């Protein structure tokens, strides 16, 4: 279960938004490259379409188990999705 926002500093909350946005872009790009729409990805991964929508908007986080499911449905490895997110300069800066 995710920790409540009150447990994070303002900086951590800002970094969370940047990281989720980068991951969202990576997921959208991967889904489009796989030639899938959101409903098809949902069916192939076992996630709901609404979960896919929230992830692609950057409104939600994802567990490692679910990321594996998404990666498998996209024909990728989870590390490839994270690498695409890390390629976002703003997201990479949150690691400094």
């Amino acid at each position: 279960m995710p920790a409540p926002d009150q447990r994070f500093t303002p900086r951590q909350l800002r970094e969370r938004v940047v990281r989720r946005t980068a991951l969202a872009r990576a997921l959208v790009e991967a889904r489009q490259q796989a030639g899938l729409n959101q409903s098809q990805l949902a069916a192939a991964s076992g996630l709901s379409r609404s979960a896919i929508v929230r992830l692609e908007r950057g409104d939600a986080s994802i567990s490692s188990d679910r990321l594996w499911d998404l990666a498998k449905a996209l024909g990728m490895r989870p590390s490839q999705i994270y690498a695409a997110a890390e390629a976002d300069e703003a997201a990479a800066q949150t690691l400094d």
Side-chain angles (χ1 to χ4, degrees):
M1 183 182 283
D5 286 351
Q6 299 87 340
R7 297 190 65 187
F8 296 100
T9 67
R11 179 181 176 173
Q12 287 172 315
L13 291 171
R14 285 190 306 273
E15 288 177 344
R16 178 191 274 189
V17 170
V18 170
R19 291 171 181 168
R20 285 182 179 180
T21 299
L23 186 60
R25 287 185 193 124
L27 288 171
V28 169
E29 185 174 323
R31 177 179 57 75
Q32 290 173 343
Q33 286 182 358
L36 300 173
N37 63 36
Q38 291 173 333
S39 295
Q40 291 167 324
L41 179 56
S45 67
L47 276 77
S48 67
R49 183 180 174 280
S50 62
I52 301 293
V53 169
R54 286 191 309 275
L55 288 167
E56 288 189 356
R57 276 196 228 141
D59 293 339
S61 62
I62 187 168
S63 72
S64 60
D65 292 331
R66 299 315 262 166
L67 186 68
W68 280 82
D69 295 336
L70 275 177
K72 182 178 178 181
L74 292 165
M76 308 173 74
R77 297 192 177 275
S79 59
Q80 291 174 284
I81 296 171
Y82 276 123
E86 284 180 57
D88 180 282
E89 188 172 326
Q93 288 178 359
T94 68
L95 298 171
D96 293 337

